[in-house]
Amino acid sequence: MSITKLRTGVDEKKDKHELKQELEELEFQVFRMQENLKEIAKKWQVMGIDQTNEEKWVIVYSYDDGNLCKIMLCDCETPFQGTWDFSIQATYSDENQIHIGDIKGEENKGYGSICMDYLKEVAFEQNIQYITGDLAKRDWDHLDRLVHFYEKHNFQVDIDHKDKSGEIVWNPQYEG
């Protein structure tokens, strides 16, 4: 449950028991967030705290050495064990381009969209004109999901079905 709904009582269809349970879940997530933030901040740069479509809180953090840019996400339902729950790994191809090498983690939780938004933020902050990536044969069993994901995030997607390959390109001008 979002904090706004909780404070305003907008969701009047729920009884007191349901609201109490959601409040307890939210309090637990905030406690876990505090603990996880302490651990993550020791090693990585915390970029932000966000909420999934299912109203679960996550911590977004990064590693960026000027060659490699890794956007990682940790949920606030479990203790941080030193590893991410989702990540986008990319490299700086040149001063105008970030190239996505891999996206790893559980799908359909909203993690990819959150991480992609933060990767775009990195591009904006560094005045990078393009985010690119490749689609390979290994992606073919989930190609429709990938195409949907990239198009949702305003990427141009070009697919060569014959060679089972493809390219994605994002430019801030595509954002509308």
Side-chain angles (χ1 to χ4, degrees), residues 25-26 28-33 36 52 54-59 74-80 85 109 111:
E25 289 174 13
L26 179 61
F28 179 77
Q29 282 190 59
V30 170
F31 167 76
R32 181 69 67 207
M33 183 188 310
N36 288 355
T52 68
E54 296 175 351
E55 299 180 342
K56 303 294 183 184
W57 290 95
V58 295
I59 300 167
C74 171
D75 72 38
C76 293
E77 292 186 305
T78 58
F80 182 68
D85 293 305
K109 288 188 157 243
Y111 294 168

Side-chain angles (χ1 to χ4, degrees), residues 148-165:
H148 171 76
F149 174 77
Y150 287 121
E151 287 179 347
K152 175 172 83 171
H153 289 282
N154 299 313
F155 279 76
Q156 288 183 329
V157 180
D158 294 316
I159 299 172
D160 182 336
H161 289 280
K162 182 181 172 191
D163 290 339
K164 291 190 176 181
S165 64

Side-chain angles (χ1 to χ4, degrees), residues 29-127:
Q29 282 190 59
V30 170
F31 167 76
R32 181 69 67 207
M33 183 188 310
Q34 290 171 324
E35 296 300 309
N36 288 355
L37 267 172
K38 289 177 195 174
E39 293 304 310
I40 291 168
K42 290 177 183 178
K43 190 171 179 182
W44 294 283
Q45 177 186 349
V46 175
M47 298 181 78
I49 295 169
D50 219 312
Q51 200 172 25
T52 68
N53 294 340
E54 296 175 351
E55 299 180 342
K56 303 294 183 184
W57 290 95
V58 295
I59 300 167
V60 182
Y61 56 104
S62 69
Y63 170 81
D64 192 331
D65 66 4
N67 293 312
L68 175 67
C69 177
K70 189 172 180 178
I71 309 295
M72 299 164 281
L73 179 147
C74 171
D75 72 38
C76 293
E77 292 186 305
T78 58
F80 182 68
Q81 300 290 322
T83 60
W84 42 262
D85 293 305
F86 196 93
S87 79
I88 294 179
Q89 300 174 38
T91 55
Y92 293 97
S93 302
D94 57 43
E95 67 273 357
N96 293 318
Q97 182 176 317
I98 298 174
H99 186 82
I100 297 172
D102 208 354
I103 298 178
K104 295 181 179 182
E106 197 172 343
E107 67 263 0
N108 298 322
K109 288 188 157 243
Y111 294 168
S113 290
I114 291 170
C115 288
M116 185 60 74
D117 289 344
Y118 279 89
L119 183 62
K120 288 178 182 180
E121 188 176 298
V122 168
F124 277 121
E125 288 173 357
Q126 297 185 24
N127 202 26

Side-chain angles (χ1 to χ4, degrees), residues 128-152:
I128 293 174
Q129 296 175 340
Y130 301 98
I131 298 174
T132 61
D134 298 314
L135 300 172
K137 281 185 182 182
R138 72 175 182 266
D139 299 321
W140 236 246
D141 65 335
H142 55 278
L143 182 66
D144 291 343
R145 193 177 80 240
L146 282 175
V147 169
H148 171 76
F149 174 77
Y150 287 121
E151 287 179 347
K152 175 172 83 171

